[in-house]
Amino acid sequence: MLIDRIYLRNYRVFEQELELALPPGLVGVYGPNGAGKSTLLESVLWTLWGRSRTPKEQVPSAGTRGECVSEVTFEHEGHIYLVRRTISGANATVRAQAHCDGLAMSEGVRDTARYVHSVLGMDDAAFRASVFAEQKQLSAFSSQGPAERRKLVLSLLGVTPLDAARDQARSDARETAERHRRLRSVLPDLDEARTAAGDAHARAAAAEVTAADEEAAAAAAMAAAAAAGQEFTALDRLRQEHELLVAQGRASRAELDAAEAEARQLAGELEQLARTESSLATVARAAEDLEQWERLLSHLSSAHAAGSELASLPDIPEPEAADDAALASAEAAAATARDALAAAQALRKSALAEHQRARQAFERSADLSPGADCPLCGQALGDAFVRVQDHRAQELEDAGRRSRQAAEQEAREATAAQEALAALDAVSRTVAEARRARSAWEQAQSRRAAVQERLDAAVAEAAEVEPSLPARWQGRPDLGALTAALEEVRTAHAAARRARDEASRLRGRLERRPEAERALQQARDRAGAAGSVTESLRAKVKALGHDPAALAAAATIAKQAGQTAEAADAAARTARMEAARAAARDEAQAQRLAEAQAQHAQLGELESATVHLSRTAELLNGFRNSVVASVGPRLAVQAAELFSELTDNEYDRLEVDTETYGLKISDAGMAYDLDRFSGSEVDLANLALRVAISEHVRFQSGGTVGLLVLDEVFGPLDEERKARMLIALERLRGRFRQVLVVTHSSDIKDQLPNAVEVVKRPGRRATARVVDPFS
């Protein structure tokens, strides 16, 4: 068997997808403690057989909800196998499947485990004992006492189940013998059992006869009760028919009363409609002038609204016209002042420039001397330089005076300009205010004219409707006259409107007269029909001849007959229950007799079973001893051959005690305990015995795995012992196609041809990778 590939996702610490291609030969699996090295190799057992050290619910990565997937691809005897196992869902449902050379071979947890067993030739226990070797097992061979060492070896070889089977057979034999003894002490007497069964049968037969007699009497009583009940039922049916007729008569009478009441009400309504028709003409005449009143009301309302609006408008006197000539004069004066100010500002600017030039010339003259040349003619100045300096000083003084005069002139012109602008602003405001007052007066006059026009038009339209109005008003009416006329018209309009509504209501009532006449005739017809039905029902009630006294007597007789039947039925049920209890006692006695007979027969069977189980225990014990006796010598030969191979025949041989499985090394013809040798020789001797046990397990199971997993065999070794162990592992490559060495020592990767690094990640997660041997 050669593991080619391991694929994991959401499996314990390997949450992220991991696909690992394992090389053949000697492979080191290294990483820090707790990283997940053992978990990586445990995934092989889980995938192939579904075996886990924890419940299946704890196999998926903690805190994840995705599907847990594990796959193992391995080559065995020329075929490529792929086994896949998943866990999914809230109930942790496990599914498994197996493929061979790309073809599906099995589906389901049990079928896949059986298929893997058939391929490798061993179950999961044999596979673990054959393939997995731990450091504690190796050190136990030399550190534990004979009894513990023998127990460990037999457990690895699978002999322990034979011990359990033998002990179970012995326990079953003892238990069967004890049951035989207890049964002999409690066996019942068969003659007593037969007598008790006969008596119970006789009592059951007598009880059955009594029950039959009581049931016959109960049947007769029930028949009498049924006859009395039928008589009562016939009379009661007559009562029900009488009550039904009475109820129908009451309903018919109520319908008659209702029809007569409706006829009276409709007759009164028709009389009222006749009176309404006589008053309709008077109301209709009062409503004829409604349209004229409405038009007059509309015109007077418009006239009153216009009169109210005209009275609310203020009577504004005509204002004076704006003084445009004064505004033009002020604007001209302001423009003249601005021009004068601009001229003064230009003069002051020119005076300042001239004063600056005079100052510069004066400053240059201060540097002149009698030997200097004249800056104008180029001749020597001599004593004239004093006159030049005086001239420049006089020029500077004159320029300063003119600059001051220009500044004063500018100040006077600025004041005059400000005064002119202030006068212009005052005149402008006065003119603007006059213009606004004139505009407002013109708008008010225009509005008053429009309102007066509407008032005159409304008054003219009202006079067309009512020609007497101009005579009452004697010219244009004022607001008071309009208000009085409007109130009079409103009152007359309201009266005409009420007359119209009343006429409409009266016409609506008169429209119902034909319907009321038809309803009156229908009510009278219903009253006649209801009277006929009432008389017919009275005749039926009289002809029915219902007698309440006869009904009461029949009820009494039926009740008494029923009570008698109930008493007879209760007696029959009591007799039947007693017969059933007697039959049950008869059956129980018969069952006890049958059980007594069966117990007598069972006693012989228990005696035979005790002998058989005792013999089985003896045979299992002999077989177990034979197996143990044959295992010791075979292990000794295999361990000695492997030890010689691992030590390159440095010693004579390795001796294995066939009883205690203690180890000795023969050197120069003498056998010595392991205490005489160095730790590396002890390690190789323990390794030889453990590998021999693995090969023997494969021999017993019939499988040829070719895989060995060594877990932490370098843990307690020093550097020298590690080196010797590495040489031994290299030599094991000839016996195994693949040797996986698990260790937390990272320097081992440099000493092995192949290595797999397990990397620890935060959050109790891990991953793994194949380390390139040339990197």
Side-chain angles (χ1 to χ4, degrees):
M1 176 182 184
L2 177 66
I3 299 179
D4 291 333
R5 169 180 167 271
I6 296 177
Y7 174 85
L8 302 175
R9 188 177 75 241
N10 288 334
Y11 176 83
R12 298 196 185 277
V13 297
F14 297 99
E15 177 184 0
Q16 300 299 322
E17 187 176 60
L18 170 65
E19 186 162 6
L20 200 62
L22 294 179
L26 187 58
V27 182
V29 181
Y30 72 95
N33 288 330
K37 304 183 296 297
S38 298
T39 301
L40 179 63
L41 297 179
E42 286 174 0
S43 68
V44 177
L45 276 175
W46 164 254
T47 306
L48 296 182
W49 280 283
R51 298 302 180 191
S52 172
R53 54 185 168 83
T54 63
K56 64 178 182 177
E57 292 79 7
Q58 299 179 15
V59 173
S61 301
T64 62
R65 295 185 178 180
E67 184 181 40
C68 172
V69 181
S70 64
E71 294 180 0
V72 173
T73 304
F74 62 92
E75 185 271 328
H76 184 64
E77 296 180 349
H79 298 282
I80 301 298
Y81 297 90
L82 185 147
V83 181
R84 175 184 173 91
R85 193 173 298 270
T86 63
I87 302 177
S88 61
N91 297 326
T93 303
V94 181
R95 296 180 175 85
Q97 53 185 241
H99 300 259
C100 177
D101 296 332
L103 300 177
M105 305 302 295
S106 66
E107 184 82 24
V109 175
R110 294 183 179 179
D111 290 346
T112 300
R114 283 195 291 266
Y115 179 73
V116 173
H117 189 170
S118 68
V119 170
L120 298 180
M122 59 180 67
D123 59 10
D124 62 297
F127 182 83
R128 187 176 185 88
S130 171
V131 172
F132 287 86
E134 303 174 1
Q135 172 61 34
K136 61 183 179 180
Q137 296 173 352
L138 300 182
S139 60
F141 293 148
S142 58
S143 63
Q144 291 185 349
E148 290 79 5
R149 184 168 55 246
R150 177 182 175 86
K151 181 178 179 181
L152 173 61
V153 173
L154 294 181
S155 174
L156 291 173
L157 291 172
V159 178
T160 304
L162 288 177
D163 294 338
R166 177 200 61 194
D167 296 340
Q168 184 63 43
R170 288 174 177 175
S171 175
D172 291 344
R174 289 192 297 270
E175 182 180 354
T176 305
E178 178 62 22
R179 289 174 57 196
H180 178 269
R181 185 191 63 77
R182 290 198 303 268
L183 186 58
R184 283 181 63 89
S185 65
V186 297
L187 277 178
D189 189 290
L190 285 179
D191 293 335
E192 292 179 359
R194 291 190 185 97
T195 301
D199 294 342
H201 184 70
R203 287 192 294 272
E208 180 64 29
V209 172
T210 301
D213 294 341
E214 293 292 342
E215 287 174 348
M222 292 294 288
Q230 291 176 357
E231 178 65 21
F232 170 74
T233 301
L235 293 175
D236 189 61
R237 190 178 297 111
L238 189 64
R239 174 193 60 78
Q240 294 175 4
E241 187 176 355
H242 175 271
E243 291 178 352
L244 178 61
L245 291 174
V246 170
Q248 291 175 350
R250 290 173 180 169
S252 179
R253 180 63 191 178
E255 185 177 357
L256 173 61
D257 294 342
E260 290 178 347
E262 184 179 359
R264 289 192 298 272
Q265 187 266 335
L266 289 171
E269 183 178 356
L270 288 173
E271 292 176 0
Q272 181 65 29
L273 288 175
R275 291 191 296 271
T276 298
E277 187 176 12
S278 62
S279 62
L280 175 60
T282 303
V283 175
R285 285 193 300 273
E288 288 177 354
D289 297 333
L290 176 62
E291 182 180 357
Q292 180 181 355
W293 290 118
E294 286 181 344
R295 286 190 290 114
L296 184 58
L297 177 63
S298 175
H299 297 324
L300 286 179
S301 296
S302 299
H304 184 270
S308 298
E309 183 178 358
L310 185 63
S312 65
L313 293 177
D315 190 7
I316 303 174
E318 182 178 2
E320 295 181 358
D323 191 357
D324 294 335
L327 177 61
S329 176
E331 289 176 347
T336 301
R338 282 196 298 271
D339 293 342
L341 176 61
Q345 288 175 343
L347 180 63
R348 180 175 179 274
K349 185 176 180 180
S350 176
L352 285 175
E354 183 181 357
H355 183 261
Q356 182 66 24
R357 287 193 298 273
R359 181 180 297 280
Q360 293 174 353
F362 175 77
E363 290 175 351
R364 285 194 301 272
S365 67
D367 296 332
L368 296 177
S369 62
D373 294 332
C374 177
L376 298 177
C377 63
Q379 296 180 359
L381 290 174
D383 294 336
F385 82 94
V386 176
R387 290 192 300 275
V388 171
Q389 289 179 341
D390 292 340
H391 177 70
R392 295 300 185 196
Q394 184 63 41
E395 287 181 345
L396 178 60
E397 182 180 356
D398 295 342
R401 183 178 63 257
R402 286 191 296 274
S403 176
R404 288 191 296 274
Q405 291 174 351
E408 292 172 356
Q409 179 66 23
E410 180 184 7
R412 287 192 297 273
E413 295 297 337
T415 300
Q418 289 177 356
E419 292 174 352
L421 289 175
L424 175 61
D425 182 62
V427 173
S428 297
R429 286 197 299 271
T430 301
V431 171
E433 183 64 28
R435 288 174 179 174
R436 284 196 296 272
R438 186 70 181 183
S439 176
W441 176 79
E442 291 175 351
Q443 290 176 0
Q445 291 300 111
S446 176
R447 185 175 179 186
R448 288 182 65 85
V451 173
Q452 185 64 51
E453 184 179 356
R454 291 203 312 273
L455 174 60
D456 294 342
V459 169
E461 290 173 346
E464 290 180 2
V465 177
E466 180 57 46
S468 63
L469 289 177
R472 289 177 56 187
W473 291 336
Q474 296 179 359
R476 279 186 176 177
D478 57 9
L479 184 60
L482 289 173
T483 302
L486 180 61
E487 289 301 323
E488 292 177 2
V489 172
R490 281 176 177 171
T491 302
H493 173 265
R497 196 171 197 177
R498 286 194 297 274
R500 182 200 63 184
D501 294 342
E502 179 64 16
S504 177
R505 187 181 68 81
L506 293 176
R507 290 189 186 96
R509 292 187 60 186
L510 289 174
E511 290 175 356
R512 174 170 159 70
R513 176 184 288 174
E515 181 182 354
E517 291 174 347
R518 288 193 300 272
L520 175 60
Q521 185 59 43
Q522 292 173 357
R524 289 172 177 171
D525 293 342
R526 287 199 305 274
S532 300
V533 171
T534 303
E535 291 301 325
S536 174
L537 290 174
R538 285 195 184 115
K540 288 182 180 180
V541 170
K542 186 176 182 181
L544 191 61
H546 170 57
D547 188 359
L551 177 62
T556 302
I557 294 172
K559 181 178 180 182
Q560 292 173 352
Q563 292 173 350
T564 301
E566 288 178 359
D569 183 61
R573 286 198 301 271
T574 301
R576 175 53 61 190
M577 291 175 61
E578 182 58 33
R581 285 193 290 269
R585 288 192 291 270
D586 179 27
E587 185 178 355
Q589 289 297 335
Q591 180 66 26
R592 290 192 188 96
L593 176 60
E595 290 176 354
Q597 292 170 343
Q599 287 174 354
H600 277 272
Q602 186 183 9
L603 186 63
E605 295 175 0
L606 287 176
E607 185 174 0
S608 175
T610 301
V611 174
H612 172 73
L613 289 172
S614 299
R615 180 58 180 161
T616 301
E618 293 176 1
L619 291 175
L620 286 172
N621 188 51
F623 177 70
R624 180 260 182 200
N625 293 335
S626 175
V627 170
V628 172
S630 65
V631 165
R634 187 177 293 112
L635 277 182
V637 173
Q638 291 174 332
E641 292 177 355
L642 185 58
F643 183 72
S644 297
E645 182 180 342
L646 295 178
T647 59
D648 200 16
N649 296 312
E650 182 178 352
Y651 301 98
D652 294 345
R653 59 190 175 86
L654 176 67
E655 296 183 1
V656 180
D657 191 314
T658 58
E659 292 296 328
T660 65
Y661 299 99
L663 299 177
K664 291 185 178 181
I665 298 178
S666 178
D667 187 18
M670 295 292 293
Y672 300 98
D673 292 333
L674 296 184
D675 296 340
R676 183 176 184 273
F677 298 93
S678 65
S680 59
E681 278 81 3
V682 174
D683 295 334
L684 296 178
N686 291 333
L687 179 61
L689 179 57
R690 181 62 184 89
V691 174
I693 291 173
S694 295
E695 292 185 339
H696 187 76
V697 170
R698 287 194 292 274
F699 169 75
Q700 285 182 326
S701 63
T704 55
V705 177
L707 173 67
L708 182 63
V709 178
L710 301 175
D711 193 358
E712 293 294 352
V713 295
F714 295 106
L717 306 183
D718 55 26
E719 294 302 324
E720 180 182 356
R721 294 170 67 183
K722 284 184 181 179
R724 290 291 300 274
M725 182 62 73
L726 285 170
I727 295 173
L729 294 179
E730 284 290 338
R731 290 173 176 171
L732 283 178
R733 294 174 60 183
R735 292 174 175 262
F736 298 92
R737 298 184 64 189
Q738 197 173 42
V739 179
L740 303 179
V741 182
V742 180
T743 178
H744 64 271
S745 178
S746 60
D747 57 353
I748 294 299
K749 73 177 189 305
D750 300 327
Q751 305 177 46
L752 295 176
N754 301 291
V756 173
E757 180 184 12
V758 179
V759 181
K760 193 173 184 179
R761 287 184 171 178
R764 293 180 293 178
R765 295 292 187 265
T767 187
R769 66 184 185 91
V770 177
V771 179
D772 186 358
F774 301 103
S775 61

